[in-house]
Amino acid sequence: LVLGWGSTYGPITAAVRRLRAAGQQVAQTHLRHLNPFPGNLGEVLGRYDKVIVPEMNLGQLATLLRAKYLIDAQSFTQVTGLPFKAEQLATVLKEAIDG
């Protein structure tokens, strides 16, 4: 599962489409609000072996998810002032899926 929020929606969607076109099984969800978390978020996260959280910060959302839901959320962060590129994100996601 690739979980995003905010400005990561576009690049995550493009990367997930690339992976699905290449035959990878990958799911995507996007949070609209963080406080409070959606009521069923813990149930949704529990359905997946891997949860990857691309963030345009130092990984605060992944930290919150780990603390609240006790899952091993893998964080992929970037703090450059530029958005993720879909190709770059697709590569990182494929490595996480295969790894």
Side-chain angles (χ1 to χ4, degrees):
L1 173 68
V2 183
L3 180 109
W5 75 282
S7 66
T8 61
Y9 179 78
I12 289 174
T13 300
V16 167
R17 283 184 185 155
R18 287 176 188 225
L19 292 173
R20 286 181 182 160
Q24 294 285 326
Q25 290 185 341
V26 59
Q28 173 189 1
T29 192
H30 199 79
L31 299 176
R32 291 182 184 226
H33 54 84
L34 300 179
N35 190 19
F37 280 128
N40 67 339
L41 183 58
E43 178 185 330
V44 170
L45 295 174
R47 294 180 192 156
Y48 296 93
D49 295 330
K50 294 181 182 180
V51 177
I52 301 130
V53 185
E55 295 186 70
M56 299 296 299
N57 56 41
L58 297 176
Q60 289 90 332
L61 177 57
T63 300
L64 291 172
L65 295 171
R66 286 186 204 108
K68 183 163 177 84
Y69 300 108
L70 302 176
I71 61 161
D72 183 23
Q74 299 175 20
S75 184
F76 175 65
T77 64
Q78 175 176 298
V79 186
T80 61
L82 299 171
F84 287 118
K85 292 185 179 180
E87 182 177 337
Q88 165 200 25
L89 199 49
T91 301
V92 169
L93 296 175
K94 182 168 180 0
E95 289 171 1
I97 291 167
D98 293 343

